[in-house]
Amino acid sequence: MSKKTWKISELAGFVNGEWHGEQDVLITGLVDLDNASEGQIAFVSDRKRLEELQKIEASALIVPEGCLDAPVPFIEVKDPVLAAAIIHNHFLEDDYVAGGIEPSVVIGEECLIAEDVTVGAFVAIGNRVNIGHRVTVGAGSVIGDDVVLGNDTVIHPNVTVLNRSVLGARVIVHSGTVIGSDGFGYAHDETGRHVKRPHVGFVQIDDDVELGANVCVDRATFGRTWIKRGTKIDNLVQVAHNVVIGEDSILVSQSGISGSTVLGNGVIMGGKSAISGHLVIGNRVTIAAKAGVASNQDDGKVIAGFPAIPHKKWLRAATALQKLPDLIKEVRELRKMIVTENVDENPDQD
Amino acid sequence: MSKKTWKISELAGFVNGEWHGEQDVLITGLVDLDNASEGQIAFVSDRKRLEELQKIEASALIVPEGCLDAPVPFIEVKDPVLAAAIIHNHFLEDDYVAGGIEPSVVIGEECLIAEDVTVGAFVAIGNRVNIGHRVTVGAGSVIGDDVVLGNDTVIHPNVTVLNRSVLGARVIVHSGTVIGSDGFGYAHDETGRHVKRPHVGFVQIDDDVELGANVCVDRATFGRTWIKRGTKIDNLVQVAHNVVIGEDSILVSQSGISGSTVLGNGVIMGGKSAISGHLVIGNRVTIAAKAGVASNQDDGKVIAGFPAIPHKKWLRAATALQKLPDLIKEVRELRKMIVTENVDENPDQD
Amino acid sequence: MSKKTWKISELAGFVNGEWHGEQDVLITGLVDLDNASEGQIAFVSDRKRLEELQKIEASALIVPEGCLDAPVPFIEVKDPVLAAAIIHNHFLEDDYVAGGIEPSVVIGEECLIAEDVTVGAFVAIGNRVNIGHRVTVGAGSVIGDDVVLGNDTVIHPNVTVLNRSVLGARVIVHSGTVIGSDGFGYAHDETGRHVKRPHVGFVQIDDDVELGANVCVDRATFGRTWIKRGTKIDNLVQVAHNVVIGEDSILVSQSGISGSTVLGNGVIMGGKSAISGHLVIGNRVTIAAKAGVASNQDDGKVIAGFPAIPHKKWLRAATALQKLPDLIKEVRELRKMIVTENVDENPDQD
């Protein structure tokens, strides 16, 4: 981490915020409220939280619009979390210092590797690999034949990027992730044995995508599995063969997408949610945690449950489920009441 | 990939199909319809799809029985996906060319390694390891002590095969997968602390099994965890200690099996499905996606939900759940109607 | 494994058990009933199982209290599984023999590594790393900068421990696991793009924690992600940024915890269960398999379903769900009966 210092007024400029209080206070870093100390700027996303604070260790604050007062100088912004992220990235931003290629690295033939890269120990790079400027490949990662890694991409340690995968610029891949393994595709013969379908396609990952740890992105059977610009994928997520994920989508941990399904832009998949194969999911569809999507979804749908239905409907149904045992009793009673009524005229019967 | 060329009549011979149209057309590869170009054979599994096609780029087609006409020469078969897989494998089949053992590889003592293997960079091989003919071990993989890898087995990069695991012939293990880690077994003392139960068993994986990426197969506490011939396991699947999986089973991504459960042959586990421990699941049981199986299952059962019940019953129940909020209202109304009736004779009451 | 031999009376002493039968019988190992052979002690947790046994291959048994007779000498204990684990660990216990640092290992600057460690091939160790006594790091693992590994900790092969992670004593980390990857945290700008929130926190893992294979433990955004003493985590589990897990908790395979959630001591998470972010889960809360917890939970709660409710309530509801389709029919009938009654006086109507 670099040592940078900005005046609060300069920080406000980064985020088009309005600053209040002493303008010359010097800030050396950004942190959250719980870990703040002198010289740092912290952020409060919730006005109420600010009012409850007994003591502020930070020297300045980022606060939501409408906060008129704070015990320290502050910057007023529409979205404090966004402003904090932007300012924090300014503090951490460094000129890239290329670490070079560690002596143990094994490199195949006909590779095109920029001079300003950082490649860690025990990285195995295949043939005809193309690595752009300022790329980092962590120790123990394996880069297969004909792979392309765009400028400023970061491959963390122990990642596996298999043959013919194409990664754009500023892609981040966390440890343990596997890109380009064979999809799960078999034909079945008359005796019930499974005949492997060769997977001759590839994986394409566009600019600014981030993949968490231990994620799996399978290569296509034919053609490509494709994750588009700006999509962020959490740990332990499964992306099957021939899936296409649009731009700026969010896949939370342990979610999974079956083969050949196409997601639009801005889709959100909650944790542990799943989508069946060969579906089309529209733009900005939001899938609740643990949902299972078994049908196509129009743009903007918010769905939950399995099979997934509109979220509000699911919420009512899930809540109602708790009342079901009592409902069953009640219906039994009602039946008795009705039957009893019908026989009331005959008092000899019970 | 090799460069091979066959006449359509020869290809038909590989799959016992009937060919129609010009017999001498030469085919250089197999591909799907979307990616087809001249000289290639494509396949259509669905007759309707064939009729809708505006233009066929392929020079030949594999079509389902009963397709009497096509704009290009075609092979008629019972199962076009199966025929395509078989023909595609013919095109890709190559004589194994042993790449030898990369100089960085570290090998323990008393190993028995066939001469015609391919072992990538930074592979660590333990003591007394036995590696068969035409085995490939990808870069960065770790092979523990006393491991056996049968002929033609492929270990992709960054795989971990731990001590005493025994893999048969033609096994395929994708990147990130761990075979032989300790099972999750503890005894619990009076104070609530967990005492590790040693795991001294092993993992046995029989011929023609394929394991996806980032799969976990734990070693047995005692005895063995056992995956039998021809079973195919998708990415991110959990196979706990002492599990036995029969032949030709299919475990879709993110499914999991708890300890000591025994699966029959031809079992299908849908994505994200789970089976509790110490159960017996019969042959050809089909478990729907996201199901949770908590009891033994007879041969051939098709189950869904949690706790899993017959699939059709679950489907009805899951659909009915959406109507539950309305049902609760309706029952409330009925009660009112009944109560109102009963009190009608006494108009003073509300 | 060492070759040790104890008299049954000595073994009984390890577990405060009462021994019966010939006291001088020499035992050379512990095993389960299915794999037992002469000279070994086996264990039976269930008295009924003992009665059903046709033949006992073991030379001695560990049995539950109240078993008055057995065909071989036996040790009577309260908890045979616990006693077996303790005795088994005695048999396997060995003086640590340091294997030293394999010549290929790459070590950064200013590291403090005890002399009696075992570090396998192709391990990359960063700068300022502190490794305690009798630590084992398996082949292919990557240890980042400023990492601390306490005494007797075992890192299995192909593990990734990223910068500034602090692991206590006797921690066990299985293969494929990633400790300290960035958490999944983004701010969102006005155009719907995701702005990465830097993750400058770290991961702390206390003494006697065990992490299974392919587990993910993300570093904190600020501060720390913290797993406390004695907690055991199964394969493929997700622990998000800033999560705190108390002591002696159990997280079964494929479970997951979202960001900033705090678990008490002795919490049990069943397989595939999930907890939302920013929640507080009390001590000794038990979460059933596949449950989804969306609200804070008091100490000792036993919960199931999604959203999770008391386990017994969920069990009734889940069972009732199967009856729902019939209930809907029944209510329809009741309505007919009521309506029919009401119109009975007018026989012209149907």
Side-chain angles (χ1 to χ4, degrees):
Chain A
M1 272 171 277
S2 69
K3 287 275 163 235
K4 290 177 183 169
T5 300
W6 276 293
K7 290 184 189 172
I8 187 172
S9 51
E10 292 172 310
L11 295 179
F14 293 149
V15 294
N16 298 316
E18 209 171 316
W19 57 268
H20 303 260
E22 195 202 334
Q23 72 157 300
D24 287 335
V25 58
L26 288 175
I27 304 298
T28 58
L30 182 138
V31 78
D32 68 346
L33 275 175
D34 295 336
N35 294 283
S37 59
E38 218 191 304
Q40 295 178 305
I41 190 165
F43 60 101
V44 192
S45 55
D46 180 4
R47 206 164 148 179
K48 220 177 144 187
R49 174 88 202 269
L50 183 60
E51 285 157 13
E52 290 165 7
L53 279 176
Q54 303 292 324
K55 202 176 152 186
I56 291 174
E57 305 284 355
S59 293
L61 284 178
I62 302 167
V63 300
E65 280 179 347
C67 280
L68 297 180
D69 196 29
V72 293
F74 61 99
I75 302 173
E76 215 186 329
V77 294
K78 210 183 285 180
D79 181 344
V81 174
L82 175 61
I86 291 169
I87 288 174
H88 201 183
N89 281 310
H90 274 285
F91 274 110
L92 298 180
E93 210 170 51
D94 255 331
D95 288 339
Y96 186 86
V97 179
I101 296 177
E102 212 272 347
S104 63
V105 172
V106 169
I107 303 177
E109 296 171 0
E110 298 177 55
C111 291
L112 211 67
I113 301 180
E115 289 202 354
D116 53 350
V117 299
T118 306
V119 181
F122 314 124
V123 170
I125 298 175
N127 301 314
R128 297 170 304 279
V129 170
N130 189 332
I131 301 185
H133 294 289
R134 298 171 301 280
V135 165
T136 299
V137 181
S141 286
V142 176
I143 310 295
D145 294 339
D146 302 292
V147 166
V148 177
L149 303 179
N151 293 337
D152 300 292
T153 278
V154 178
I155 307 293
H156 282 278
N158 279 334
V159 164
T160 310
V161 184
L162 293 154
N163 296 358
R164 287 184 293 119
S165 301
V166 177
L167 279 66
R170 295 174 304 280
V171 171
I172 301 173
V173 183
H174 288 281
S175 298
T177 284
V178 178
I179 298 172
S181 42
D182 283 354
F184 194 66
Y186 302 90
H188 313 286
D189 73 13
E190 318 74 43
T191 68
R193 295 202 179 190
H194 312 299
V195 178
K196 186 174 172 68
R197 298 183 60 188
H199 276 69
V200 298
F202 67 103
V203 174
Q204 177 179 330
I205 296 180
D206 291 347
D207 298 349
D208 299 303
V209 166
E210 183 164 2
L211 305 180
N214 286 337
V215 166
C216 298
V217 183
D218 280 351
R219 70 175 57 244
T221 319
F222 303 97
R224 65 182 161 184
T225 304
W226 188 9
I227 303 177
K228 297 188 187 171
R229 187 199 51 71
T231 283
K232 312 295 184 183
I233 298 185
D234 200 353
N235 303 336
L236 294 163
V237 168
Q238 154 76 349
V239 179
H241 48 178
N242 292 85
V243 163
V244 177
I245 305 178
E247 301 183 351
D248 297 317
S249 291
I250 289 275
L251 278 64
V252 178
S253 181
Q254 297 175 321
S255 55
I257 309 176
S258 298
S260 300
T261 282
V262 177
L263 272 65
N265 299 330
V267 170
I268 297 173
M269 290 186 71
K272 285 194 156 65
S273 65
I275 310 180
S276 299
H278 298 275
L279 296 182
V280 178
I281 308 298
N283 297 316
R284 295 174 310 284
V285 168
T286 298
I287 301 166
K290 293 175 77 67
V293 182
S295 58
N296 293 342
Q297 300 294 330
D298 293 337
D299 288 0
K301 282 284 175 73
V302 180
I303 53 178
F306 178 51
I309 54 174
H311 186 258
K312 281 179 188 170
K313 203 173 175 182
W314 172 79
L315 217 59
R316 277 199 303 272
T319 311
L321 180 58
Q322 302 178 30
K323 301 177 188 160
L324 182 55
D326 288 341
L327 189 73
I328 291 174
K329 275 187 212 157
E330 172 142 20
V331 170
R332 211 176 295 145
E333 277 173 33
L334 288 186
R335 175 174 283 276
K336 263 193 206 153
M337 287 170 70
I338 294 170
V339 173
T340 314
E341 248 167 66
N342 287 348
V343 297
D344 254 5
E345 292 133 31
N346 187 352
D348 291 344
Q349 288 186 13
D350 182 15
Chain B
M1 275 172 276
S2 68
K3 288 274 162 236
K4 290 177 184 170
T5 301
W6 276 293
K7 289 184 190 172
I8 187 171
S9 51
E10 292 172 310
L11 295 179
F14 292 150
V15 294
N16 298 316
E18 210 171 316
W19 58 268
H20 303 261
E22 195 202 333
Q23 73 155 299
D24 287 335
V25 58
L26 287 175
I27 304 297
T28 59
L30 182 138
V31 76
D32 68 346
L33 274 175
D34 295 335
N35 295 283
S37 60
E38 219 190 303
Q40 295 177 305
I41 189 165
F43 61 101
V44 193
S45 55
D46 180 3
R47 207 165 148 179
K48 221 177 144 188
R49 174 90 202 270
L50 183 60
E51 285 157 13
E52 289 165 7
L53 278 177
Q54 303 292 324
K55 202 175 152 185
I56 291 174
E57 305 284 355
S59 293
L61 284 179
I62 302 167
V63 300
E65 280 179 347
C67 282
L68 298 179
D69 196 28
V72 293
F74 61 100
I75 303 173
E76 215 186 331
V77 293
K78 209 183 288 180
D79 180 346
V81 174
L82 175 62
I86 291 168
I87 288 174
H88 201 182
N89 281 309
H90 274 284
F91 274 112
L92 299 179
E93 209 170 53
D94 255 331
D95 288 340
Y96 185 87
V97 179
I101 296 176
E102 211 273 346
S104 63
V105 172
V106 169
I107 303 178
E109 296 171 1
E110 299 177 55
C111 292
L112 211 67
I113 302 180
E115 289 203 353
D116 52 350
V117 300
T118 305
V119 181
F122 314 124
V123 169
I125 298 176
N127 301 314
R128 298 170 303 280
V129 171
N130 189 333
I131 301 185
H133 293 289
R134 299 170 301 281
V135 166
T136 299
V137 181
S141 286
V142 176
I143 309 295
D145 294 340
D146 303 290
V147 165
V148 177
L149 304 178
N151 293 338
D152 300 293
T153 277
V154 178
I155 306 293
H156 282 278
N158 279 333
V159 164
T160 311
V161 184
L162 293 155
N163 296 0
R164 286 183 294 119
S165 301
V166 177
L167 279 66
R170 296 174 305 280
V171 171
I172 301 173
V173 183
H174 288 282
S175 298
T177 284
V178 178
I179 298 172
S181 42
D182 284 352
F184 195 64
Y186 302 90
H188 313 286
D189 73 12
E190 316 75 42
T191 69
R193 296 201 178 191
H194 312 298
V195 178
K196 186 173 172 66
R197 298 183 60 188
H199 277 68
V200 298
F202 67 102
V203 174
Q204 178 179 330
I205 296 180
D206 290 348
D207 298 349
D208 299 304
V209 166
E210 182 164 2
L211 304 181
N214 286 336
V215 166
C216 297
V217 183
D218 280 350
R219 69 175 58 245
T221 318
F222 303 97
R224 65 182 161 183
T225 304
W226 188 11
I227 304 176
K228 296 188 188 172
R229 188 200 50 72
T231 282
K232 312 295 185 184
I233 297 185
D234 199 354
N235 303 335
L236 293 164
V237 168
Q238 155 76 350
V239 179
H241 49 179
N242 293 84
V243 162
V244 177
I245 305 177
E247 301 183 352
D248 298 317
S249 291
I250 290 274
L251 278 65
V252 178
S253 181
Q254 297 175 320
S255 56
I257 310 176
S258 298
S260 301
T261 282
V262 177
L263 272 65
N265 299 331
V267 170
I268 298 173
M269 290 187 70
K272 284 194 156 66
S273 65
I275 310 180
S276 298
H278 298 274
L279 297 182
V280 178
I281 308 299
N283 296 317
R284 295 173 311 284
V285 168
T286 298
I287 301 167
K290 292 175 77 65
V293 182
S295 59
N296 293 341
Q297 300 294 329
D298 291 338
D299 288 1
K301 282 284 176 73
V302 180
I303 53 179
F306 178 52
I309 55 175
H311 186 259
K312 281 179 188 169
K313 201 171 176 184
W314 173 80
L315 217 59
R316 275 198 305 270
T319 311
L321 180 58
Q322 302 178 29
K323 300 178 189 160
L324 182 55
D326 289 341
L327 189 72
I328 291 174
K329 275 187 212 158
E330 172 143 19
V331 170
R332 211 177 294 145
E333 277 173 34
L334 288 186
R335 175 174 281 275
K336 263 193 206 153
M337 287 170 70
I338 294 171
V339 174
T340 313
E341 248 168 65
N342 287 347
V343 297
D344 254 5
E345 292 134 31
N346 187 350
D348 291 343
Q349 288 186 13
D350 183 11
Chain C
M1 275 172 275
S2 68
K3 287 275 164 234
K4 291 177 184 170
T5 300
W6 277 293
K7 289 184 190 171
I8 187 171
S9 51
E10 293 172 310
L11 294 179
F14 293 149
V15 294
N16 298 315
E18 209 171 316
W19 58 268
H20 302 262
E22 195 201 334
Q23 71 155 301
D24 288 334
V25 57
L26 287 176
I27 304 298
T28 60
L30 182 138
V31 77
D32 68 345
L33 275 174
D34 295 335
N35 294 283
S37 60
E38 217 190 305
Q40 295 178 305
I41 189 165
F43 60 102
V44 194
S45 54
D46 180 4
R47 206 164 147 179
K48 221 177 146 189
R49 175 88 201 271
L50 183 60
E51 284 158 12
E52 291 165 6
L53 279 177
Q54 304 291 324
K55 201 176 152 185
I56 291 174
E57 305 283 356
S59 293
L61 284 178
I62 302 167
V63 300
E65 280 180 347
C67 280
L68 297 179
D69 197 28
V72 293
F74 61 100
I75 304 173
E76 214 186 332
V77 293
K78 210 183 287 182
D79 181 346
V81 174
L82 175 61
I86 291 168
I87 287 174
H88 201 181
N89 281 309
H90 274 284
F91 274 111
L92 299 179
E93 210 170 50
D94 254 331
D95 288 339
Y96 185 86
V97 179
I101 296 176
E102 211 274 347
S104 64
V105 172
V106 169
I107 302 178
E109 296 171 1
E110 299 176 56
C111 292
L112 211 66
I113 302 180
E115 289 203 354
D116 52 350
V117 300
T118 306
V119 181
F122 314 123
V123 170
I125 297 176
N127 300 314
R128 298 171 303 279
V129 170
N130 190 333
I131 301 185
H133 293 289
R134 299 170 302 281
V135 165
T136 299
V137 181
S141 286
V142 176
I143 310 295
D145 294 340
D146 302 291
V147 164
V148 177
L149 304 179
N151 293 338
D152 301 293
T153 278
V154 178
I155 307 292
H156 282 278
N158 279 333
V159 165
T160 310
V161 184
L162 294 154
N163 296 359
R164 288 184 293 120
S165 302
V166 177
L167 279 66
R170 295 173 305 280
V171 171
I172 301 172
V173 184
H174 288 282
S175 298
T177 284
V178 177
I179 298 172
S181 42
D182 284 352
F184 194 64
Y186 302 90
H188 314 286
D189 73 13
E190 317 75 44
T191 68
R193 294 201 179 191
H194 311 300
V195 178
K196 185 173 172 67
R197 298 183 60 189
H199 276 68
V200 298
F202 66 103
V203 173
Q204 177 179 332
I205 296 180
D206 291 347
D207 299 349
D208 300 304
V209 166
E210 183 164 2
L211 304 180
N214 286 336
V215 166
C216 298
V217 184
D218 281 350
R219 70 174 58 245
T221 318
F222 303 98
R224 65 182 162 182
T225 304
W226 188 10
I227 304 177
K228 296 187 189 173
R229 188 199 50 72
T231 282
K232 312 295 184 183
I233 298 185
D234 200 354
N235 302 336
L236 294 164
V237 169
Q238 154 76 350
V239 179
H241 49 179
N242 293 84
V243 162
V244 177
I245 305 177
E247 301 183 350
D248 298 317
S249 290
I250 289 275
L251 278 64
V252 179
S253 180
Q254 297 175 319
S255 56
I257 309 176
S258 298
S260 301
T261 282
V262 177
L263 271 65
N265 300 330
V267 170
I268 298 173
M269 291 186 70
K272 285 194 155 68
S273 65
I275 310 181
S276 299
H278 298 274
L279 296 182
V280 177
I281 307 299
N283 297 317
R284 295 173 311 284
V285 168
T286 298
I287 300 166
K290 292 175 77 66
V293 182
S295 59
N296 293 341
Q297 299 294 330
D298 292 337
D299 288 1
K301 281 286 174 71
V302 180
I303 52 179
F306 178 52
I309 54 175
H311 186 258
K312 281 179 188 169
K313 202 171 176 184
W314 172 79
L315 216 60
R316 276 198 303 270
T319 312
L321 180 58
Q322 303 177 30
K323 300 177 189 160
L324 182 55
D326 288 341
L327 189 72
I328 290 173
K329 275 187 211 158
E330 171 143 20
V331 170
R332 210 176 294 145
E333 278 172 32
L334 288 186
R335 175 174 283 276
K336 264 193 205 153
M337 287 169 69
I338 293 170
V339 173
T340 315
E341 245 167 68
N342 288 346
V343 298
D344 252 7
E345 292 133 32
N346 187 351
D348 291 344
Q349 288 186 14
D350 181 12

